[in-house]
Amino acid sequence: TLKAIKKAVPAASALTQSRTTAVYLGNNTALATTRHGLKLYLDTRDLSLAPHIIMDGNWEAWITDAILSLLRPGMKVIEVGANIGWFTTLIGREIGNTGGLTAYEANPHLAELAFRNVHVNGLKERVNVVAKAVTDKPGSITLNVFERYLGSSSIFAVAETATAFHDTLTPITVPTLTLDAAHTVGRVDLIKIDAEG
């Protein structure tokens, strides 16, 4: 029976590590743990990725696996469309202390969540979150922000699309930059782009 207990202990430990939790913090914010062992602040009003991360601890598993398979310690990575930082934190962890990631997010509210997620996971020395839209010229642009599908906000979103999803749009002005101007020195090993429009 002692052998059976010893075998059961590692199995129980592995099961505990795969569990995820989420805690509501108030002010439409939850803090969740992911299946990858990271902590993420989420906007509970979001109907796109927040419910999946809160309940399952996972988001776009097939894309997550593909990106993780490409990453190596020391890589220099650019991410366009960071959202709340699901991929940002995973990339930041996998590239290690010698790697570097610059993550761009046009929606200032989501960029703030990504910034918090980078910090709560101890990645601030290797990950830089930039609250700007990546476009073809520097300046500013109107971003149409969905109230409930936060990750779908876009420069091209229209009221008809919002209505079809029982949502509303709020136009905001956000700063823009070009990747060519922002990254003039050093190598780039990987660029991940998930940007609406």
Side-chain angles (χ1 to χ4, degrees):
T1 58
L2 186 56
K3 286 182 181 179
I5 291 171
K6 286 181 179 178
K7 286 182 181 180
V9 170
S13 175
L15 178 63
T16 301
Q17 291 173 353
S18 69
R19 290 186 184 151
T20 61
T21 59
V23 178
Y24 184 68
L25 303 175
N27 198 26
N28 302 310
T29 304
L31 179 60
T33 56
T34 72
R35 292 198 180 275
H36 300 281
L38 296 165
K39 296 171 184 69
L40 294 179
Y41 289 99
L42 302 160
D43 188 320
T44 58
R45 297 169 296 185
D46 177 49
L47 295 180
S48 50
L49 77 162
H52 299 278
I53 296 172
I54 289 169
M55 297 305 295
D56 306 326
N58 213 358
W59 173 246
E60 294 184 334
W62 60 97
I63 298 172
T64 298
D65 290 345
I67 289 176
L68 288 174
S69 74
L70 297 172
L71 297 171
R72 303 290 178 269
M75 290 181 82
K76 306 301 180 190
V77 181
I78 295 171
E79 179 184 25
V80 179
N83 201 305
I84 56 91
W86 170 265
F87 291 109
T88 311
T89 53
L90 284 167
I91 294 168
R93 184 181 68 186
E94 295 300 311
I95 60 176
N97 290 330
T98 59
L101 166 63
T102 303
Y104 297 96
E105 175 51 50
N107 182 326
H109 173 61
L110 296 180
E112 174 59 25
L113 288 172
F115 175 82
R116 291 173 68 184
N117 290 330
V118 164
H119 280 255
V120 77
N121 287 291
L123 302 170
K124 64 184 171 93
E125 301 302 323
R126 63 185 91 155
V127 178
N128 181 30
V129 177
V130 179
K132 292 187 177 183
V134 175
T135 62
D136 60 346
K137 59 180 179 262
S140 63
I141 200 163
T142 299
L143 179 70
N144 297 304
V145 177
F146 283 91
E147 182 179 324
R148 299 167 70 174
Y149 292 89
L150 298 176
S152 297
S153 300
S154 169
I155 60 175
F156 296 114
V158 294
E160 291 79 14
T161 303
T163 300
F165 285 92
H166 303 281
D167 209 339
T168 58
L169 289 175
T170 301
I172 62 172
T173 301
V174 298
T176 65
L177 55 68
T178 68
L179 288 183
D180 288 338
H183 299 275
T184 58
V185 179
R187 76 179 199 273
V188 175
D189 299 305
L190 177 69
I191 298 176
K192 175 244 169 209
I193 301 175
D194 183 2
E196 310 302 316

